[in-house]
Short mmCIF file of all heavy atoms in Angstrom, two decimals:
data_model
loop_
_atom_site.label_atom_id
_atom_site.label_comp_id
_atom_site.label_asym_id
_atom_site.label_seq_id
_atom_site.Cartn_x
_atom_site.Cartn_y
_atom_site.Cartn_z
N ILE A 555 13.85 10.37 -7.44
CA ILE A 555 13.79 8.98 -7.01
C ILE A 555 14.37 8.81 -5.61
O ILE A 555 13.83 8.09 -4.78
CB ILE A 555 14.52 8.09 -8.02
CG1 ILE A 555 13.78 8.11 -9.36
CG2 ILE A 555 14.65 6.67 -7.50
CD1 ILE A 555 14.48 7.39 -10.49
N ALA A 556 15.46 9.48 -5.32
CA ALA A 556 16.11 9.34 -4.01
C ALA A 556 15.21 9.82 -2.89
O ALA A 556 15.25 9.29 -1.78
CB ALA A 556 17.42 10.11 -4.00
N LYS A 557 14.37 10.80 -3.17
CA LYS A 557 13.48 11.35 -2.13
C LYS A 557 12.08 10.77 -2.20
O LYS A 557 11.22 11.16 -1.41
CB LYS A 557 13.41 12.87 -2.28
CG LYS A 557 14.73 13.59 -1.99
CD LYS A 557 14.56 15.10 -2.08
CE LYS A 557 15.86 15.81 -1.73
NZ LYS A 557 15.72 17.29 -1.81
N ASN A 558 11.83 9.87 -3.15
CA ASN A 558 10.48 9.30 -3.33
C ASN A 558 9.43 10.41 -3.41
O ASN A 558 8.37 10.34 -2.77
CB ASN A 558 10.14 8.35 -2.19
CG ASN A 558 10.77 6.98 -2.38
OD1 ASN A 558 11.21 6.64 -3.47
ND2 ASN A 558 10.80 6.20 -1.32
N THR A 559 9.73 11.42 -4.19
CA THR A 559 8.86 12.59 -4.28
C THR A 559 8.61 12.96 -5.73
O THR A 559 9.52 12.90 -6.56
CB THR A 559 9.48 13.78 -3.53
OG1 THR A 559 9.67 13.42 -2.15
CG2 THR A 559 8.58 15.00 -3.59
N VAL A 560 7.37 13.32 -5.99
CA VAL A 560 6.98 13.81 -7.31
C VAL A 560 6.61 15.28 -7.17
O VAL A 560 5.99 15.67 -6.17
CB VAL A 560 5.79 13.01 -7.86
CG1 VAL A 560 5.31 13.58 -9.19
CG2 VAL A 560 6.17 11.56 -8.02
N TYR A 561 6.97 16.07 -8.15
CA TYR A 561 6.72 17.51 -8.11
C TYR A 561 5.82 17.93 -9.27
O TYR A 561 5.80 17.29 -10.32
CB TYR A 561 8.03 18.28 -8.19
CG TYR A 561 9.01 17.94 -7.11
CD1 TYR A 561 10.06 17.05 -7.35
CD2 TYR A 561 8.89 18.49 -5.84
CE1 TYR A 561 10.96 16.72 -6.37
CE2 TYR A 561 9.80 18.16 -4.83
CZ TYR A 561 10.83 17.27 -5.11
OH TYR A 561 11.71 16.96 -4.11
N LEU A 562 5.12 19.03 -9.06
CA LEU A 562 4.38 19.67 -10.14
C LEU A 562 4.72 21.15 -10.10
O LEU A 562 4.25 21.87 -9.20
CB LEU A 562 2.87 19.45 -9.99
CG LEU A 562 2.03 19.98 -11.15
CD1 LEU A 562 2.30 19.16 -12.43
CD2 LEU A 562 0.53 19.94 -10.83
N GLN A 563 5.57 21.57 -11.03
CA GLN A 563 5.91 22.99 -11.14
C GLN A 563 4.85 23.65 -12.00
O GLN A 563 4.63 23.25 -13.15
CB GLN A 563 7.29 23.16 -11.78
CG GLN A 563 7.69 24.59 -11.99
CD GLN A 563 7.90 25.35 -10.70
OE1 GLN A 563 8.52 24.85 -9.77
NE2 GLN A 563 7.40 26.58 -10.64
N MET A 564 4.20 24.67 -11.45
CA MET A 564 3.10 25.34 -12.14
C MET A 564 3.49 26.79 -12.38
O MET A 564 3.68 27.55 -11.41
CB MET A 564 1.82 25.25 -11.30
CG MET A 564 1.45 23.83 -10.91
SD MET A 564 -0.14 23.72 -10.08
CE MET A 564 0.21 24.64 -8.59
N ASN A 565 3.60 27.16 -13.63
CA ASN A 565 3.95 28.53 -14.02
C ASN A 565 2.79 29.16 -14.78
O ASN A 565 1.89 28.47 -15.25
CB ASN A 565 5.20 28.53 -14.88
CG ASN A 565 6.42 27.99 -14.18
OD1 ASN A 565 6.56 28.13 -12.96
ND2 ASN A 565 7.31 27.36 -14.93
N SER A 566 2.83 30.46 -14.90
CA SER A 566 1.80 31.20 -15.64
C SER A 566 0.41 30.79 -15.20
O SER A 566 -0.47 30.50 -16.02
CB SER A 566 1.97 30.97 -17.15
OG SER A 566 3.24 31.38 -17.59
N LEU A 567 0.21 30.76 -13.91
CA LEU A 567 -1.06 30.29 -13.36
C LEU A 567 -2.21 31.20 -13.74
O LEU A 567 -2.05 32.43 -13.85
CB LEU A 567 -0.95 30.15 -11.85
CG LEU A 567 -0.21 28.89 -11.38
CD1 LEU A 567 0.27 29.04 -9.95
CD2 LEU A 567 -1.09 27.67 -11.54
#
Side-chain angles (χ1 to χ4, degrees):
I555 294 173
K557 294 183 178 180
N558 280 344
T559 300
V560 176
Y561 303 99
L562 185 68
Q563 177 67 44
M564 306 186 295
N565 298 329
S566 301
L567 282 161

